[in-house]
Amino acid sequence: MSRCGRARPGRRSAGGPLHAGVAVVVLLLPSWLNLDPWETPPVEEPQGPVVVEHGSGVKTMTTLGAVLDAGRNSWQLKDIRVMVRSALGPIELRGPDNAKRMTKESYLQLSVQIANVGVERDVPLSGWATGLTTDGVRVTDGSGKPLDPAKFEGTFTPDRGRPASRAMPGNASEVRLLFPSPPKKADPIQVHLSGAAIGMPEDIKFRIGATGFQIRPPGSQDIPR
């Protein structure tokens, strides 16, 4: 028999095993080849607001109009997150030539932060969210009685935070709101913020319990974090 018609012993076609190996790599290890998985489940954004737990950042679905614990959670809808910090104590007033003085009275101090946690758009702000007015802000004490915003006459005025007219991606507007110190009761303070000021359909509501207040040290301008 001619040698041309005989297969050499020990040599087999490598095409089959090679193709099978490539298929395994493509199917099971797409990241090695920088390939997207063939079946990637779509990531759906929550349609309603979420509660963001302080510290852990864990998000839980909530409902429009739900009252959140300000000491533990922030409120977020899409790329806008709202957080309220609070304190009780005297405040610093500033006057002409950068003169400073502390009040004898204590005040309820609310620092409301409107943060843009997205990356695509800037969000226009209005009303209370710009620090220009307190319209749309409603604060009630433990008995349900509304607290009127504190008024300051003369040339000495308090710090009003770092408000902005727009919340840019990765930035925030921070508004400082001041109210007379509420009666010393264990019932929580209720804070209602009009959602219209940040382009939201419903009010944003927080509850501040008696243990949620921080006493601001004398001479300290910022609300403790």
Side-chain angles (χ1 to χ4, degrees), residues 41-50 52 59-62 76-81 116-121:
V43 178
E44 296 184 359
E45 291 290 335
Q47 297 302 310
V50 296
V52 184
K59 297 179 181 179
T60 306
M61 290 292 297
T62 185
Q76 181 175 331
L77 181 59
K78 297 182 180 180
D79 52 3
I80 290 296
R81 183 179 299 176
N116 186 341
V117 297
V119 296
E120 296 181 353
R121 65 172 187 137

Side-chain angles (χ1 to χ4, degrees), residues 32 46 75:
W32 287 10
W75 179 96

Side-chain angles (χ1 to χ4, degrees), residues 87-91 103-109 150 179-182 215:
L88 282 173
I91 61 173
T103 63
K104 296 179 180 180
E105 304 84 6
S106 291
Y107 290 87
L108 166 62
Q109 307 156 49
F179 298 85
S181 182
I215 304 301

Side-chain angles (χ1 to χ4, degrees), residues 11 25 46 66 69 72 85 102 105 107 148 150 156 160 168 192 211 223:
R11 297 188 62 181
V25 171
D69 184 341
R72 297 182 178 182
R85 293 184 289 120
M102 296 296 296
E105 304 84 6
Y107 290 87
D148 294 327
F156 281 79
R160 293 297 186 180
M168 307 296 289
H192 292 193
T211 59
I223 296 176

